[in-house]
Amino acid sequence: MADPSTYRPAPGAIPTSPGVYKFRDAHGRVIYVGKAKSLRPRLSSYFQDLAGLHPRTATMVTTAASVEWTVVATEVEALQLEYSWIKEFDPRFNVKYRDDKSYPELAVTLNEEFPRVQVMRGSHRKGVRYFGPYGHAWAIRETVDLLLRVFPVRTCSNGVFKRAAQVGRPCLLGYIGKCAAPCVGRITPEDHRALAEDFCDFMAGRTGNYLRRLETEMQEAAADLEYEKAARLRDDIGALKRAMEKNAIVLADATDADLLAVAEDELEAAVQIFHVRGGRVRGQRGWITDKVEDVDTAGLVEHALQQLYGGVGGGAEDRGEAVPREVLVPALPDPAEPVREWLGGLRGAQVDLRIPQRGDKKDLMATVQRNAQQALALHKTKRASDLTTRSRALQEITDALELDSVPLRIECFDISHLQGEDVVASMVVFEDGLARKSEYRRFEIKGFEGQDDVRSMHEVISRRFRRYLQERERTGEWAVPEEGPEDAAEAAADGTGTAGDGTGTRAEDGRPRRFAYPPQLLVVDGGQPQVAAARRALDELGIDDVALCGLAKRLEEVWLPGEDDPVVLPRSSEGLYLLQRVRDEAHRFAIGYQRGKRSKRLTAGELDSVPGLGETRRQALLKHFGSLKKLRAATVDELCAVPGIGRRTAETVAAALSSRTPAAPAVNTATGEIIEDGADEPAPAAPETAPIQETP
């Protein structure tokens, strides 16, 4: 526990300007991000007597080891920078909302040549229009089924679309009039896109003008004695009205608004949001958060608004449509004006952020509030059982292994290979009994050739904890053993190094790094030999504060280093069940990596090893020439004609292909006939063989 006075800034060193500040722990990791209208009084408040601080704030300042700040021009910039840093650094003491479930949304893929209407979950993609979220996927499908009569937009998958185009025959929806069948050319790409845009306009609430236009066309068709057309338009109008009726009318003035309500207790908070468009509830979603910082209702509202609108994907048009004219909340952020200005900037027009005082909007806010209270009660009921079970499991492990403290962070390692080839290892992390997938890591065994699980385990444990010692050396906590050139080569090969890796970062930037934090318990998949190898690796590095055990598959025995007899946990033990889940997850992650490497090796083509040639340009070359045979015969000038291929790249490709012996012609083994086009295949298929047992 750190003393805040050891890193308190000197008097007068803190500016009085608006800004954003970061607290870091002893490892350099950012643990809290905050903003302030004036940095000096805000930061000074953290360095008062600990007895006067909120318990959560006191825990944060005693965990931190340093504080720094960035000055900005306005409070709006501070709000934007705070959100960006929270998303980037994932600080442990900041409020972070998580969805209480995965909500389906209606998506229109406007980024495709022929836009597709479909149900999507998860993060938003660029160039896709979203509507919702909805409580159930069937509600989306019922609405879409009604609208396809009027807007026959494509709904099929890419595979079905390509197959229909190949055979020249549309799917069933094309025959019954619920798809315009762009796959067989019944409609041009431009007209189909116009249909998709009309569909989006209708879903966005712009229904009045479209219905009036259809009614006018129906009357004109009836006046011209085109009764069949008039009847079809009448049925279309009826379908649209039925689709509109599926969303309850709650506000008579065609209001576009988001209503946000909060239910909270001392430890947790639930947020519920109703999306009202055109006076109707178009979607609903909810979030749950742990109150890890000292925050009131106004603060929870501000964080929720950042979460709701700050991460809206796509371009400016998408962000503008995501922010409605009105945002109704139970409490205004303090101060509220920067938030209003920020929302107005996202929308491109003024946004009314306020607390509803009377009328229908206040009544609807009460409904949203009841939903938030029910969501919090349901979450606490579910979590009580889950938290009790996880706590009991961790305590049983602590008692059985005679650990000094509860293992809040558990790491498990597993080795996987296929008869000694493609040897890989996995590392999975469980924190507080739950999988933390962002911390998972994988290794490619480079130190030797062949099959040796014990030696592989020693190598991977050594590499993992050598990286940990390197991080400690950066902070002056520990001197790290010297790293040999073979270790550096291995780190560069499989991405486990500390510099330049994909998810780890430089030590000074504060983001979570790959191997910066040690586990309280290290689990290896295996028995005595694997445990002894892991213990030897830890001893060689001088690490004696990490507990170690192995879980053998045969009898589910727990092996401790230096012990001749295993620890046997009862079959009904929650502790054993947790260890099994950790071990099985490591096995799954290792097998997935090993299969991917094997598949890539078996399907590798001649172009895969050409330096500087990525997947996109490889596909462009094969598409342009049609086969490797024609590609080998191409000149440098012909290669340069391919989009994205410059002369230097063309010369590299030509030299690489000319230096290799062409593949032998394929032979039909049944007839002995030589197939001349056999070399035209872009990639050889793996031969069919009997299944081979994978060795984990």
Side-chain angles (χ1 to χ4, degrees):
M1 180 179 293
D3 182 359
S5 63
T6 60
Y7 63 90
R8 178 173 184 170
I14 308 175
T16 57
S17 307
V20 183
Y21 53 91
K22 295 180 289 190
F23 282 87
R24 298 176 183 265
D25 63 9
H27 296 284
R29 176 172 54 175
V30 175
I31 62 172
Y32 184 74
V33 173
K35 70 175 189 322
K37 181 179 180 180
S38 177
L39 286 168
R40 181 176 298 174
R42 174 63 60 83
L43 286 177
S44 299
S45 67
Y46 289 103
F47 297 99
Q48 58 179 288
D49 185 6
L50 292 178
L53 294 175
H54 189 280
R56 297 188 186 94
T57 305
T59 302
M60 188 274 291
V61 297
T62 53
T63 303
S66 63
V67 62
E68 59 193 56
W69 56 85
T70 299
V71 175
V72 297
T74 65
E75 294 178 64
V76 177
E77 290 183 14
L79 182 72
Q80 294 170 332
L81 183 58
E82 179 194 34
Y83 174 76
S84 299
W85 280 357
I86 290 175
K87 296 294 286 184
E88 179 180 2
F89 298 119
D90 191 24
R92 58 178 293 197
F93 286 101
N94 276 96
V95 164
K96 293 181 290 293
Y97 291 103
R98 57 188 184 276
D99 281 346
D100 55 1
K101 61 180 177 179
S102 176
Y103 288 90
E105 296 178 280
L106 177 60
V108 184
T109 58
L110 295 176
N111 57 345
E112 298 180 351
E113 181 183 7
F114 296 101
R116 173 189 176 194
V117 175
Q118 63 183 118
V119 178
M120 279 190 179
R121 298 176 186 262
S123 59
H124 287 189
R125 305 174 187 173
K126 186 175 182 180
V128 180
R129 289 280 300 278
Y130 292 88
F131 304 95
Y134 291 79
H136 303 280
W138 57 260
I140 304 178
R141 296 189 178 96
E142 286 188 358
T143 301
V144 170
D145 187 63
L146 290 169
L147 293 180
L148 287 180
R149 177 186 178 88
V150 187
F151 309 106
V153 185
R154 168 195 164 209
T155 57
C156 60
S157 65
N158 290 331
V160 173
F161 185 86
K162 292 178 181 178
R163 178 61 180 167
Q166 290 172 351
V167 301
R169 188 171 61 250
C171 63
L172 178 62
L173 292 180
Y175 283 108
I176 66 176
K178 289 191 174 182
C179 178
C183 54
V184 294
R186 289 185 185 175
I187 187 173
T188 64
E190 294 76 16
D191 291 341
H192 185 267
R193 180 168 291 275
L195 268 180
E197 291 173 350
D198 288 341
F199 180 93
C200 292
D201 289 342
F202 188 88
M203 289 301 302
R206 294 186 281 274
T207 59
N209 292 336
Y210 196 81
L211 286 174
R212 284 192 292 271
R213 189 177 75 189
L214 289 181
E215 289 172 352
T216 301
E217 292 179 5
M218 179 184 67
Q219 294 168 0
E220 292 176 352
D224 294 338
L225 305 182
E226 297 180 4
Y227 297 119
E228 291 184 359
K229 179 180 179 181
R232 187 173 65 254
L233 291 171
R234 177 203 61 200
D235 294 341
D236 290 348
I237 293 171
L240 293 179
K241 288 183 176 179
R242 288 195 301 275
M244 293 169 58
E245 289 168 358
K246 286 188 172 293
N247 296 302
I249 298 178
V250 294
L251 300 174
D253 57 353
T255 299
D256 288 347
D258 285 347
L259 291 86
L260 186 148
V262 179
E264 57 182 310
D265 59 16
E266 287 297 320
L267 300 176
E268 295 174 309
V271 173
Q272 281 288 311
I273 301 150
F274 277 21
H275 302 281
V276 179
R277 299 295 184 269
R280 296 170 174 82
V281 177
R282 299 286 184 178
Q284 173 189 359
R285 71 188 305 176
W287 293 328
I288 301 292
T289 184
D290 295 321
K291 296 174 70 173
V292 293
E293 61 176 297
D294 182 17
V295 61
D296 56 9
T297 302
L300 290 171
V301 168
E302 181 176 326
H303 287 304
L305 293 176
Q306 288 179 316
Q307 178 83 7
L308 181 60
Y309 302 117
V312 175
E317 179 183 354
D318 296 328
R319 290 194 296 269
E321 291 192 356
V323 183
R325 287 193 295 266
E326 289 184 87
V327 178
L328 307 179
V329 295
L332 290 175
D334 184 25
E337 193 54 39
V339 180
R340 286 196 185 96
E341 187 177 342
W342 173 63
L343 293 175
L346 292 177
R347 177 177 170 79
Q350 184 175 354
V351 175
D352 187 10
L353 177 65
R354 61 187 179 87
I355 304 173
Q357 301 294 334
R358 62 183 68 85
D360 293 339
K361 294 175 182 177
K362 183 178 181 181
D363 294 340
L364 182 58
M365 177 61 82
T367 301
V368 184
Q369 181 67 38
R370 285 195 297 272
N371 277 266
Q373 292 169 347
Q374 292 173 1
L376 180 62
L378 180 61
H379 170 74
K380 292 181 74 66
T381 301
K382 291 180 178 178
R383 180 167 180 175
S385 174
D386 181 55
L387 185 60
T388 301
T389 301
R390 287 189 282 119
S391 299
R392 184 166 65 250
L394 292 173
Q395 190 59 52
E396 287 180 359
I397 293 173
T398 304
D399 296 339
L401 304 185
E402 299 180 355
L403 304 180
D404 296 333
S405 60
V406 175
L408 297 180
R409 179 183 173 102
I410 301 175
E411 292 182 4
C412 183
F413 291 80
D414 186 24
I415 308 297
S416 179
H417 57 84
L418 181 64
Q419 295 184 342
E421 294 187 349
D422 299 319
V423 185
V424 300
S426 67
M427 179 186 104
V428 301
V429 179
F430 275 58
E431 290 189 353
D432 196 20
L434 297 175
R436 188 174 177 85
K437 294 192 176 182
S438 62
E439 300 277 332
Y440 285 14
R441 299 293 176 255
R442 58 192 190 184
F443 302 79
E444 182 178 355
I445 303 302
K446 295 285 190 177
F448 62 95
E449 298 288 340
Q451 175 181 346
D452 190 337
D453 288 359
V454 174
R455 188 176 176 186
S456 298
M457 185 64 72
H458 178 273
E459 176 183 328
V460 72
I461 297 295
S462 298
R463 284 161 57 183
R464 183 265 181 267
F465 282 94
R466 185 175 289 111
R467 303 293 179 268
Y468 163 59
L469 296 183
Q470 288 174 343
E471 296 298 339
R472 296 196 66 171
E473 185 187 31
R474 294 176 190 274
T475 61
E477 298 177 75
W478 200 330
V480 61
E482 291 190 12
E483 180 178 11
E486 66 280 0
D487 297 318
E490 291 166 358
D494 61 12
T496 59
T498 56
D501 52 47
T503 57
T505 57
R506 297 182 304 276
E508 64 271 12
D509 64 9
R511 283 174 285 186
R513 294 183 296 263
R514 284 181 177 251
F515 302 109
Y517 313 108
Q520 281 82 47
L521 176 62
L522 177 64
V523 181
V524 298
D525 183 13
Q528 281 181 304
Q530 286 81 3
V531 173
R535 180 75 271 169
R536 188 169 67 255
L538 295 176
D539 291 341
E540 290 171 357
L541 295 172
I543 296 176
D544 56 4
D545 58 348
V546 175
L548 170 66
C549 73
L551 184 60
K553 289 187 180 67
R554 189 170 65 89
L555 298 175
E556 302 294 5
E557 300 167 330
V558 180
W559 289 92
L560 298 178
E563 298 292 334
D564 295 330
D565 298 316
V567 176
V568 180
L569 278 71
R571 287 289 178 175
S572 60
S573 165
E574 291 292 342
L576 177 60
Y577 179 58
L578 176 57
L579 289 176
Q580 288 172 330
R581 283 197 295 123
V582 173
R583 188 268 318 278
D584 293 344
E585 180 70 355
H587 177 70
R588 179 199 65 81
F589 194 52
I591 284 288
Y593 181 37
Q594 192 270 334
R595 285 176 177 169
K597 283 181 61 63
R598 184 175 79 243
S599 176
K600 184 176 180 180
R601 176 170 55 83
L602 292 176
T603 60
E606 294 186 31
L607 293 176
D608 292 350
S609 58
V610 176
L613 195 65
E615 179 65 24
T616 301
R617 292 198 287 182
R618 284 200 299 268
Q619 294 297 330
L621 285 169
L622 292 172
K623 182 177 180 181
H624 182 83
F625 291 100
S627 68
L628 279 173
K629 181 178 180 180
K630 295 177 181 178
L631 182 57
R632 289 192 198 97
T635 64
V636 172
D637 291 335
E638 289 173 340
L639 291 173
C640 290
V642 179
I645 304 296
R647 175 159 291 275
R648 180 176 298 178
T649 302
E651 292 172 351
T652 303
V653 172
L657 293 180
S658 64
S659 64
R660 295 174 184 150
T661 303
V667 178
N668 187 327
T669 56
T671 64
E673 178 187 2
I674 295 178
I675 305 173
E676 295 294 340
D677 294 332
D680 289 355
E681 296 297 328
E688 294 186 3
T689 60
I692 298 176
Q693 179 66 36
E694 290 168 335
T695 304

